[in-house]
Amino acid sequence: MSLKLAKFQIGQVVKHRLFPFRGVIFDVDPIYANTEEWWNAIPEHVRPRKDQPFYHLLAENEETEYVAYVSEQNLLIDDSETPIRHPQLGEFFGAQVDGVYTPKERVSH
């Protein structure tokens, strides 16, 4: 299995292809890296392939904000230019430049 380069980048605003939510990407896995339990909870008719990039999103819909894990095949660019309102946005990103949020320097100990 060859690794596919990620189509989207950290800081980019995307929306789900099937479900009414959007978010900003804060991490990328080159292939599926979640649990089998999570995988099996996805209805089979919409379950994506594992051999593609998966994105961690600071996600939001009309009602709430949350963290989502979404396959590349289910994401589209969100060019609405509506700011993300997720409460954790400031932990990961600074200003939005040309539609992409600028990642903050991460300090690890």
Side-chain angles (χ1 to χ4, degrees), residues 1 3-10 14 16 21 24-36 38-40 42-43 46-58 67-75:
M1 176 175 73
L3 290 180
K4 184 175 175 253
L5 289 176
K7 179 177 175 181
F8 304 108
Q9 66 186 29
I10 290 174
V14 292
H16 197 281
F21 71 87
V24 60
I25 298 166
F26 71 91
D27 198 8
V28 183
D29 294 332
I31 58 170
Y32 180 78
N34 209 332
T35 65
E36 280 302 305
W38 189 91
W39 181 259
N40 290 323
I42 302 169
V46 294
R47 193 177 297 156
R49 299 180 331 276
K50 288 184 177 179
D51 65 342
Q52 63 182 314
F54 275 74
Y55 298 84
H56 300 260
L57 307 180
L58 296 177
V67 172
Y69 190 62
V70 185
S71 65
E72 185 169 275
Q73 77 185 59
N74 283 324
L75 290 177

Side-chain angles (χ1 to χ4, degrees), residues 40-109:
N40 290 323
I42 302 169
E44 205 169 328
H45 69 283
V46 294
R47 193 177 297 156
R49 299 180 331 276
K50 288 184 177 179
D51 65 342
Q52 63 182 314
F54 275 74
Y55 298 84
H56 300 260
L57 307 180
L58 296 177
E60 59 191 40
N61 60 28
E62 286 186 7
E63 292 84 40
T64 190
E65 298 83 33
Y66 53 98
V67 172
Y69 190 62
V70 185
S71 65
E72 185 169 275
Q73 77 185 59
N74 283 324
L75 290 177
L76 301 167
I77 299 265
D78 180 332
D79 54 12
S80 69
E81 296 185 22
T82 304
I84 295 291
R85 65 176 192 272
H86 198 286
Q88 291 177 276
L89 186 69
E91 293 175 33
F92 294 91
F93 299 100
Q96 193 178 18
V97 179
D98 295 328
V100 176
Y101 286 91
T102 307
K104 284 188 173 177
E105 290 293 321
R106 302 290 294 186
V107 178
S108 55
H109 299 272

